[in-house]
Amino acid sequence: MWGGRFKGGSSDIMSEINVSIGFDKRLAVQDILGSKAHVTMLAAQGIVSNSDAAKICSGLEQVLAEIEAGTFEFKTDLEDIHMNVESRLSELIGPAAGRLHTARSRNDQVATDFRLWLRDEIDAVVPAIKDLQLALIEQADRAADYVMPGFTHLQNAQPITFGHHLMAYVEMFQRDRDRFRDCRKRLNESPLGSAALAGTPYPIDRDHTAKALGFDRPTANSMDAVASRDFALEFLGAASIHAMHLSRLADEIVLWMSAQFRFVKLSDAFTTGSSIMPQKRNPDAAELVRAKIGRIAGAFQSLIMVMKGLPLTYSKDMQEDKEPVFQAVDALMLSIAATSGMMRDLVPQKDNMLAAAKLGFTTATDLADWLVQKKGIPFREAHHIAGALVSEAEKKGCGLEDLSLEEMRLISSEIDESVFEVLSVEASAAARKSFGGTAPECVRKAVAAARTELLAE
Ligand code: ARG
């Protein structure tokens, strides 16, 4: 492609470090779409003849068919996807192929391909997360009144409902989807026609190619267009945040499956056995989802380090932009699918959750609130009385609700029979009816609202 000046061949090491076809062949479809839009515009502007443009378009279609059929031979000596496609095109249609690269450069070409590719991936990620949200909503609906311990510091804190716990993730995932959609908005500008870095003297029509490729508009500065990869970083940022959320849910599944919790069961579909311990059922899928953030957040680090300090405009460093993004997308899509699968497979164990909710004096706050609301005692003092009752129950090795009225009255004479109404974990959860609270009736409302919102999209 640059044979005019170069006579000697490049060294093997040079080829090895320079070649990108091994990974950028993933941009093949987008590369061909971009080329078709470009040559159609060139013909419309009278820059190439209609007959050459028609030949180029049908040749490109043939190349695409070969790629889709798996018969296309990707050649490493042709360096990257752009040159592989163009070279095959010239084998197919002859010298007219040489007109395709008029008024463009691989610099605007690769920036265009990459944006098109990432846009398609965002369009796959967003509905995949929605499917996961729907799976969570179904479980939350069924388990709206399953009482379990809610934790702070992973210590039993207050009774909550399993439905409420799951709906917390529905909220996180909604923001995650918004972040991807927001990234798509900024990404959706066409670099094509920026050429190497400065634009082109040919009378091209950048609006034409932008429209043909589904971009909202052409990028406004040719140097920014070929030098910027913040669209990919933004995607990786959103992906890292989503992977972080997935890792928290995955970790909870691991905990919930353990013999100490027994809050959920997963079937054979999402667990594995041990080759040595016959009794084992391991939550491997959840563990791997928990781990995948390593690659995804690592991809962000990798790309931001590649871009840091690069002077404008394009430098070959930027060829290192694609692999981290490809890896992150693969890891993310698989993690989302595995999490949706687990959420549909998972069977919550209502009785075990309830038994666990009763451990750790989770209604001590309810007792203090009762002293405040029914007896007019200041909260600080009520907190102190409830603490003394917890200590008494702990000494006796029983729950708060198992203390007798006499035992309670020895600590505070204000206490009467009606205190028992607030000491059950079910009553505690049901009482938390404030907007966004854990009461089953609130969970059912949240489920209905989320369902309506998601299905309306
Ligand atoms: N394979 C290159 C990349 O991915 C394409 C752009 C090459 N541009 C250049 N001036 N050498 O970045």
Side-chain angles (χ1 to χ4, degrees):
M1 297 288 167
W2 51 77
R5 169 145 187 221
F6 286 69
K7 296 284 173 276
S10 52
S11 88
D12 291 349
I13 298 293
M14 174 61 203
S15 305
E16 193 179 335
I17 197 168
N18 204 32
V19 69
S20 60
I21 189 64
F23 51 86
D24 66 15
K25 62 179 170 204
R26 266 182 97 158
L27 303 177
V29 172
Q30 290 74 18
D31 195 69
I32 290 170
L33 286 177
S35 288
K36 282 176 70 181
H38 182 66
V39 77
T40 305
M41 178 277 291
L42 291 178
Q45 297 298 105
I47 301 166
V48 303
S49 70
N50 285 330
S51 74
D52 280 345
K55 259 193 225 161
I56 291 173
C57 278
S58 72
L60 286 168
E61 269 156 32
Q62 203 174 325
V63 176
L64 182 60
E66 290 176 5
I67 290 170
E68 279 168 351
T71 55
F72 187 93
E73 198 196 332
F74 293 101
K75 296 183 180 145
T76 50
D77 53 335
L78 291 170
E79 199 181 314
D80 61 21
I81 185 62
H82 323 295
M83 301 211 278
N84 267 268
V85 169
E86 199 181 321
S87 157
R88 180 64 185 140
L89 181 68
S90 80
E91 283 172 16
L92 290 170
I93 68 164
R99 301 202 184 272
L100 170 60
H101 213 53
T102 313
R104 77 169 186 192
S105 145
R106 280 188 293 156
N107 295 351
D108 58 339
Q109 198 180 348
V110 74
T112 304
D113 294 1
F114 202 18
R115 284 186 193 231
L116 286 173
W117 184 87
L118 198 52
R119 192 178 70 187
D120 285 349
E121 296 305 319
I122 293 174
D123 289 345
V125 166
V126 171
I129 302 175
K130 178 174 170 176
D131 179 62
L132 169 56
Q133 288 177 296
L134 290 170
L136 284 159
I137 288 170
E138 292 317 308
Q139 285 282 6
D141 198 8
R142 268 191 295 275
D145 60 355
Y146 287 20
V147 175
M148 66 180 265
F151 303 97
T152 61
H153 316 267
L154 198 57
Q155 306 293 312
N156 279 18
Q158 290 176 348
I160 56 155
T161 52
F162 189 56
H164 194 52
H165 196 127
L166 297 182
M167 290 304 289
Y169 285 101
V170 173
E171 292 295 318
M172 293 176 224
F173 295 164
Q174 187 66 13
R175 293 193 296 276
D176 291 346
R177 285 200 306 140
D178 284 345
R179 268 183 278 273
F180 284 114
R181 288 190 282 218
D182 204 44
C183 164
R184 189 194 196 282
K185 276 186 220 156
R186 266 182 296 282
L187 165 158
N188 204 32
E189 294 187 343
S190 174
L192 199 57
S194 299
L197 75 162
T200 171
Y202 294 94
I204 60 168
D205 181 354
R206 294 191 59 211
D207 289 300
H208 179 140
T209 43
K211 191 155 176 256
L213 294 169
F215 286 117
D216 294 328
R217 62 191 80 82
T219 52
N221 180 297
S222 62
M223 296 180 72
D224 171 46
V226 298
S228 295
R229 294 293 182 271
D230 54 285
F231 66 89
L233 281 167
E234 205 174 335
F235 172 84
L236 291 175
S240 299
I241 293 173
H242 184 51
M244 174 275 291
H245 285 153
L246 290 175
S247 80
R248 297 181 75 171
L249 177 55
D251 182 70
E252 297 204 299
I253 294 172
V254 173
L255 279 177
W256 293 340
M257 267 193 64
S258 69
Q260 287 69 27
F261 279 78
R262 295 179 301 125
F263 286 4
V264 302
K265 279 191 177 155
L266 280 182
S267 80
D268 298 356
F270 285 94
T271 52
T272 61
S274 157
S275 53
I276 177 160
M277 295 165 280
Q279 86 286 6
K280 289 291 288 291
R281 179 183 291 286
N282 296 326
D284 295 39
E287 294 167 272
L288 287 162
V289 169
R290 186 171 61 183
K292 290 288 181 197
I293 185 171
R295 288 169 194 258
I296 297 165
F300 179 87
Q301 283 304 319
S302 172
L303 182 54
I304 204 160
M305 282 299 109
V306 166
M307 298 307 296
K308 178 196 168 290
L310 284 187
L312 301 190
T313 53
Y314 179 87
S315 297
K316 197 61 175 265
D317 308 53
M318 289 164 69
Q319 179 166 287
E320 294 278 315
D321 61 354
K322 285 172 273 305
E323 282 171 293
V325 177
F326 292 163
Q327 274 214 12
V329 164
D330 292 342
L332 192 71
M333 287 301 282
L334 191 54
S335 298
I336 298 169
T339 309
S340 298
M342 285 189 284
M343 286 321 303
R344 292 205 161 87
D345 185 60
L346 175 152
V347 181
Q349 305 295 299
K350 190 178 184 184
D351 295 344
N352 297 340
M353 289 181 178
L354 183 62
K358 292 179 177 172
L359 301 173
F361 316 105
T362 52
T363 56
T365 317
D366 299 81
L367 176 54
D369 288 338
W370 181 87
L371 290 164
V372 171
Q373 288 179 310
K374 292 281 154 59
K375 303 293 164 183
I377 296 173
F379 185 78
R380 282 291 155 222
E381 192 187 332
H383 184 281
H384 190 83
I385 296 169
L389 286 160
V390 165
S391 154
E392 182 66 16
E394 200 167 29
K395 225 187 297 162
K396 296 194 64 189
C398 67
L400 273 176
E401 69 280 20
D402 304 318
L403 293 172
S404 68
L405 186 59
E406 294 68 52
E407 286 166 329
M408 291 195 192
R409 289 178 61 86
L410 281 178
I411 289 168
S412 169
S413 57
E414 297 273 9
I415 296 176
D416 63 48
E417 193 68 37
S418 69
V419 76
F420 289 101
E421 288 163 23
V422 301
L423 292 181
S424 86
V425 291
E426 291 94 335
S428 169
R432 286 174 166 68
K433 289 189 275 203
S434 52
F435 177 73
T438 197
E441 63 177 85
C442 294
V443 175
R444 292 197 181 97
K445 274 186 203 153
V447 161
R451 220 182 239 145
T452 312
E453 198 182 325
L454 285 182
L455 297 179
E457 271 180 21

